[in-house]
Amino acid sequence: TFKATILLSQHRFEEGLAIAQQAQKLYPLNAYVYGLLVDAYVELGKYEEALEAADQMVSIRPDIRSYSRVAYLREIFGDLPGAIEAMELAIDAGARGDENTEWCRVQLGKLHEKTGKNDHAKMHYTIASQNRENYPYALAGLAGMAAGEKKYPEALALYQRADSLIPDHTFKEGIAELYQLTGEEAK
């Protein structure tokens, strides 16, 4: 499983899938193995196989990892209400303040943004930032909300704070977009 995890993180999806399939034969009741299969299948565009693996995973262990994968698959298939429902189950299965839980809460916020429920999105970003102090992805979510409300100085400060905590190109993209919006092209 570790070898498959490493291969998938290196974007060697075919190789990772092959190793995960070997692990699945050895450990057919291990939910983690099915998570590896889901991830590999998604990256390879084999969505039907990913659905089958996710179904197995959630039937073996209905937890934050399996529900979040179900949510992502529902999003891929365009079922945003179903994705929201599954992500709520993921959050309920996690521990408040845990990085995985608050990552799911941020993803839930993003799903709400996609459905036009910005008040719900902002609420979830705020909760995530309160449950996990200085959580950069929650700060970035709040920055996006502030930018949408044309509160550019607030948005910039939030993106910069998130960027100071961990390296993530999406924070820098948000900063660059704000500089463009405010006419500070040189920055």
Side-chain angles (χ1 to χ4, degrees):
T1 59
F2 292 135
K3 186 174 184 177
T5 300
I6 291 167
L7 289 168
L8 293 175
S9 73
Q10 294 174 333
H11 293 215
R12 295 165 58 188
F13 303 120
E14 290 285 351
E15 293 171 82
L17 175 60
I19 298 297
Q21 288 171 328
Q22 290 173 14
Q24 188 267 333
K25 289 176 184 165
L26 293 170
Y27 308 103
L29 297 177
N30 184 305
Y32 185 81
V33 171
Y34 287 96
L36 294 171
L37 291 171
V38 171
D39 297 346
Y41 286 135
V42 165
E43 294 298 338
L44 294 169
K46 298 180 178 184
Y47 300 120
E48 292 302 323
E49 292 90 337
L51 284 173
E52 291 174 24
D55 186 51
Q56 283 288 359
M57 183 182 188
V58 80
S59 69
I60 293 168
R61 187 172 194 134
D63 65 3
I64 190 168
R65 292 183 190 120
S66 57
Y67 288 133
S68 63
R69 282 178 172 88
V70 168
Y72 185 55
L73 285 166
R74 288 179 178 177
E75 182 182 3
I76 287 172
F77 279 90
D79 178 9
L80 294 180
I84 288 170
E85 178 184 350
M87 199 57 82
E88 288 171 344
L89 290 171
I91 292 165
D92 289 344
R96 186 177 146 250
D98 182 71
E99 200 276 337
N100 290 332
T101 305
E102 302 316 323
W103 180 87
C104 286
R105 194 178 311 278
V106 168
Q107 300 313 305
L108 179 59
K110 290 179 182 181
L111 289 167
H112 281 298
E113 279 190 74
K114 287 181 179 183
T115 62
K117 295 182 180 174
N118 289 348
D119 55 334
H120 285 66
K122 188 173 184 177
M123 176 188 71
H124 286 291
Y125 297 143
T126 301
I127 292 170
S129 71
Q130 291 170 347
N131 288 349
R132 190 165 182 89
E133 188 176 350
N134 287 318
Y135 187 50
Y137 298 107
L139 297 173
L142 290 169
M145 300 271 69
E149 296 168 358
K150 298 188 183 337
K151 297 177 181 176
Y152 300 133
E154 178 184 339
L156 182 60
L158 287 164
Y159 272 132
Q160 287 173 331
R161 193 161 129 213
D163 188 51
S164 74
L165 297 167
I166 62 167
D168 188 308
H169 71 278
T170 59
F171 305 154
K172 291 184 183 353
E173 288 172 7
I175 292 168
E177 288 173 11
L178 286 169
Y179 284 145
Q180 284 179 327
L181 286 171
T182 58
E184 297 182 71
E185 295 290 328
K187 288 185 179 181

